[in-house]
Amino acid sequence: MSLPSHHPFSIEYTANPHPTFERAHGGDDFIEVPEMQGLLVHGYEAVRALCDHPSVSRNPMDAGFGDAAEMAKRAERWPTLESAALQMIEANENSNSSLMRDLLAPDFRPGMIRKMDETVHEVVEEVCAPFRSERALDVVKTVQEVPLRVISRLLGIDDATQDANLFLSSAPDYFRGINPVASDEDRDKAEVAAKTMYEVLARTVENRRANPQTDMVSQVIEIANQRGDVSPDVLVRVLVVLVAAGTDTTRLSTTLAVKTLLSHPQEMEALREDRSKLKNAVMECLRFESPTKYLMRASMEDFELDGREIPRGRLILLSLMGAGWDPTVYPEPERFDVDRDLRGSLNFGFGSGYCLGVHLARLQVGTLLDFILDHLPSNARVIEDGITWDPGNLSLREITALPIEMP
Ligand code: HEM
């Protein structure tokens, strides 16, 4: 069955959502998707308001996504996977509560920021070496290990150990299986992967309890000890949420940023000459091609937003990329402009659930672009007809191949 072009799972929307943006920004926002009881929202003001609104929940199950019997069946077949999913939902629902934010605050400590900087530079140099030596490559395959290796090293999983191999090899299966519309087969694989990841992280926590170091796990344990109310199991689950929230988003952001840069050779040359614009360029890349397809929310009661009635029990899908292409806020959104005023950007969400890894995220995208600018020749180009997308992800714009050549 072919899906309408605005449908979240259509290939058109995933690869090229601009016709839907034009429709929404032309006055037809809040597009209905009846089979999902869904409302697609693309206007900047509405997206911002609904990110963190008292009448909406951050748990899509509140809109009837997944009934209790189905959930029980799933929990029986995929217990580790489902408990991880629940932890993520709890973390999302309680983002105002201080647990996640307290535990993950090390992100903002000066010592950790220095460590992040060193680690990200090391990993980009290692993983992206093929950009230096090859004449053609797939960007997706080449950069995909960057965020996983970065987070694994920051957490303190020693690279030289079997645990690092287990962590790196199981994570991709795990991420594939946590997609709400993953197949049963993918979930089976993800269950095995989730168990492995839990075991590796549990061993790391145990080890750092006995032998604290300067890594993230040691810092999280220190904060947990100060709070006195965090069991080792909850601690491990928070770390899994951290890995899940930070890996795929960064993997897709870096890939899409390379695509945007190579498709704008003049801007790329200007940036090559003046790296002081790099920080803003990162945010412009995220606006231009967002890794996020939709943030999910559910309406908990009938309410009104800007003169529009929103009924209870709707799955509300907020397009951050749509908001970034709203011409009333970002004039001529189709222009990729690294000097653009991006204050108020929604790239990392808004309000109480604002991204906890924003520093690390910007650092990774910026370091990768800096590396590309150092090593990619001006005639490098994207092979447009080799680009492929996987439309079956509701939260992320999953690009699966981005071949480039560097003649
Ligand atoms: C460029 C890459 C990234 C993008 C575009 C991104 C984007 C976002 C967005 C839009 C949200 C808000 C979700 C919502 O309101 O429903 C979010 C939340 C979050 N992000 Fe990121 N993120 C990125 C990288 C990271 C990294 C590297 C980490 C950590 C390692 C991270 C950790 C988190 C966490 C823990 C939350 C949940 C916060 C909460 O619910 O309180 N993110 N991110």
Side-chain angles (χ1 to χ4, degrees):
M1 191 186 66
S2 89
L3 296 168
S5 61
H6 64 263
H7 196 283
F9 294 130
S10 74
I11 186 73
E12 288 94 333
Y13 187 82
T14 307
N16 176 19
H18 302 107
T20 305
F21 294 173
E22 274 169 32
R23 172 178 166 190
H25 299 140
D28 187 17
D29 205 2
F30 287 71
I31 300 169
E32 302 258 0
V33 186
E35 65 279 20
M36 298 168 91
Q37 298 170 52
L39 280 177
L40 312 180
V41 187
H42 293 85
Y44 177 93
E45 293 300 339
V47 168
R48 198 170 93 125
L50 291 167
C51 263
D52 198 15
H53 192 281
S55 301
V56 308
S57 156
R58 296 157 65 87
N59 179 358
M61 282 190 293
D62 291 338
F65 238 31
D67 61 85
E70 177 64 18
M71 295 290 293
K73 249 187 359 212
R74 282 186 180 197
E76 207 168 294
R77 179 160 171 189
W78 302 294
T80 320
L81 203 57
E82 289 305 305
S83 85
L86 278 178
Q87 179 69 42
M88 249 177 261
I89 287 165
E90 260 169 45
N92 264 338
E93 277 181 328
N94 300 328
S95 58
N96 270 328
S97 84
S98 52
L99 178 64
M100 282 280 281
R101 291 191 175 259
D102 266 13
L103 290 182
L104 301 177
D107 193 356
F108 302 107
R109 291 188 189 183
M112 186 47 76
I113 288 178
R114 238 188 345 268
K115 195 172 178 120
M116 282 179 187
D117 204 41
E118 282 165 20
T119 307
V120 170
H121 277 87
E122 275 166 25
V123 171
V124 167
E125 287 287 330
E126 285 166 27
V127 174
C128 298
F131 281 107
R132 288 205 199 98
S133 53
E134 304 296 322
R135 290 280 144 267
L137 54 77
D138 179 0
V139 178
V140 174
K141 287 210 178 77
T142 312
V143 307
Q144 66 187 359
E145 272 207 6
V146 170
L148 254 186
R149 278 193 186 273
V150 165
I151 198 74
S152 142
R153 281 186 203 179
L154 288 176
L155 287 172
I157 304 171
D158 189 346
D159 252 15
T161 61
Q162 171 69 353
D163 270 355
N165 286 335
L166 285 172
F167 185 78
L168 293 174
S169 57
S170 52
D173 277 349
Y174 171 66
F175 296 137
R176 210 166 303 116
I178 55 175
N179 178 4
V181 293
S183 67
D184 285 1
E185 196 191 343
D186 279 347
R187 277 181 215 273
D188 286 342
K189 281 192 201 149
E191 174 66 19
V192 178
K195 275 200 189 110
T196 309
M197 284 178 68
Y198 270 74
E199 283 163 14
V200 171
L201 288 168
R203 272 196 293 276
T204 311
V205 167
E206 213 177 283
N207 180 297
R208 290 306 189 266
R209 266 187 202 289
N211 178 22
Q213 313 254 325
T214 54
D215 50 59
M216 232 183 216
V217 168
S218 304
Q219 297 201 3
V220 170
I221 291 172
E222 193 189 316
I223 299 168
N225 287 343
Q226 282 160 13
R227 283 182 56 116
D229 61 350
V230 189
S231 69
D233 185 48
V234 168
L235 214 149
V236 169
R237 291 204 279 163
V238 166
L239 294 176
V240 173
V241 173
L242 179 74
V243 175
T247 305
D248 275 355
T249 41
T250 311
R251 172 176 64 80
L252 293 171
S253 300
T254 43
T255 306
L256 292 170
V258 174
K259 173 175 181 283
T260 301
L261 213 55
L262 288 187
S263 315
H264 295 85
Q266 271 181 356
E267 289 76 1
M268 180 162 163
E269 283 319 303
L271 203 55
R272 212 195 290 270
E273 296 305 311
D274 183 0
R275 307 289 170 98
S276 68
K277 297 180 175 189
L278 198 60
K279 272 195 179 156
N280 207 51
V282 167
M283 291 302 278
E284 175 65 350
C285 283
L286 291 172
R287 179 197 73 80
F288 198 81
E289 286 270 26
S290 172
T292 315
K293 194 188 272 180
Y294 286 114
L295 299 187
M296 288 185 252
R297 300 290 188 264
S299 52
M300 299 302 293
E301 57 190 356
D302 297 345
F303 67 102
E304 199 190 288
L305 183 77
D306 204 16
R308 195 186 303 262
E309 296 294 331
I310 302 182
R312 180 175 182 277
R314 288 303 178 90
L315 178 67
I316 301 178
L317 296 172
L318 304 176
S319 166
L320 300 182
M321 183 164 159
W325 279 67
D326 185 334
T328 61
V329 181
Y330 302 104
E332 297 175 67
E334 66 290 349
R335 193 165 43 83
F336 174 65
D337 176 3
V338 299
D339 294 317
R340 190 184 281 280
D341 181 354
L342 291 159
R343 275 173 297 179
S345 153
L346 300 180
N347 287 337
F348 291 99
F350 176 75
S352 59
Y354 189 74
C355 178
L356 280 165
V358 60
H359 174 79
L360 181 58
R362 291 172 69 161
L363 178 65
Q364 290 188 74
V365 181
T367 307
L368 188 90
L369 290 188
D370 207 17
F371 181 93
I372 297 285
L373 292 166
D374 280 344
H375 297 290
L376 242 60
S378 349
N379 61 355
R381 65 169 200 104
V382 172
I383 304 170
E384 294 287 338
D385 57 9
I387 300 178
T388 58
W389 300 83
D390 174 0
N393 192 320
L394 190 55
S395 339
L396 295 172
R397 293 181 64 232
E398 188 72 63
I399 183 164
T400 46
L402 177 65
I404 63 168
E405 56 183 10
M406 300 161 275

